[in-house]
């Protein structure tokens, strides 16, 4: 599995921590920035990861900003992206089992690094259940085709 990770300045420190979790899981990942805490605009980084996931360069994307919210809004503007914000393990697991989420966003100002590491691990290791959930995602896909 190839993972793209990025953040804005407000998520930079948590992004650096989450890279250690990716290393622990021995996952192949690419850091698309930002590379320090100089103020930047989250959409510039969110779109890089979202496009990389949508075009198949990466299997999954991880985005961190202050709240996780701006990154989720941005990523969901790219066709094919199913971005969710998760700050707890249950939501992270369900977002994979039921929603086949391919981008995870988190907020450095919301979550501690220990919980964030657990959220990331569960999100990366839980499979989509398919079945009735695939039917529902087909409907989501149809809405996306009509509106994006
Ligand atoms: C930056 O101050 C902050 O607005 C950004 O990181 C993010 O939380 C936006 O959703």
């Amino acid at each position: 599995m190839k993972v793209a990770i990025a953040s804005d300045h407000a998520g930079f420190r948590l992004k650096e921590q989450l890279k250690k979790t990716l290393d622990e899981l021995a996952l192949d990942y690419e850091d698309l920035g930002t590379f320090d805490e100089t103020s930047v605009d989250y959409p510039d980084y969110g779109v890089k990861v979202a496009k990389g996931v949508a075009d198949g360069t990466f299997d999954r994307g991880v985005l961190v900003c202050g709240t996780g919210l701006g990154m989720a809004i941005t990523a969901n503007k790219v066709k094919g992206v199913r971005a969710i914000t998760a700050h707890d393990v249950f939501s992270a697991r369900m977002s994979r089992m039921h929603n086949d989420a391919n981008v995870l966003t988190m907020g450095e100002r919301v979550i501690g690094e220990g919980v964030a590491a657990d959220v990331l691990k569960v999100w990366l290791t839980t499979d989509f259940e398919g079945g009735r959930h695939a039917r529902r995602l087909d409907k989501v896909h149809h809405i996306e085709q009509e509106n994006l």
Side-chain angles (χ1 to χ4, degrees):
M1 181 191 299
K2 189 153 188 202
V3 178
I5 188 166
S7 72
D8 69 357
H9 56 288
F12 171 74
R13 280 178 294 173
L14 181 57
K15 170 173 70 72
E16 294 305 300
Q17 289 300 319
L18 293 175
K19 283 161 60 180
K20 294 179 189 167
T21 303
L22 296 174
D23 286 332
E24 272 174 38
L25 295 170
L27 284 173
D28 185 16
Y29 67 86
E30 197 170 323
D31 182 352
L32 302 182
T34 187
F35 298 109
D36 59 36
E37 292 183 75
T38 308
S39 184
V40 293
D41 297 330
Y42 64 81
D44 297 336
Y45 294 87
V47 73
K48 285 188 199 187
V49 167
K51 281 187 169 176
V53 170
D55 72 17
T57 305
F58 301 101
D59 302 299
R60 303 276 188 87
V62 179
L63 287 165
V64 190
C65 59
T67 59
L69 302 178
M71 287 297 200
I73 289 169
T74 302
N76 280 318
K77 298 299 180 196
V78 176
K79 272 189 181 178
V81 169
R82 293 176 298 281
I84 56 88
T85 305
H87 292 125
D88 66 277
V89 165
F90 178 77
S91 299
R93 183 181 299 114
M94 295 308 286
S95 79
R96 289 292 310 136
M97 289 171 67
H98 287 193
N99 311 113
D100 199 18
N102 52 12
V103 173
L104 166 67
T105 80
M106 286 188 272
E108 182 183 308
R109 294 171 181 164
V110 181
I111 192 172
E113 65 188 44
V115 178
D118 283 354
V119 165
L120 181 60
K121 279 183 204 162
V122 163
W123 188 75
L124 287 170
T125 55
T126 303
D127 290 330
F128 179 49
E129 275 185 353
R132 68 187 188 281
H133 305 296
R135 186 184 72 240
R136 292 162 185 164
L137 282 182
D138 282 347
K139 293 189 177 187
V140 172
H141 181 67
H142 185 69
I143 293 166
E144 177 184 73
Q145 291 302 118
E146 282 190 333
N147 292 281
L148 272 189

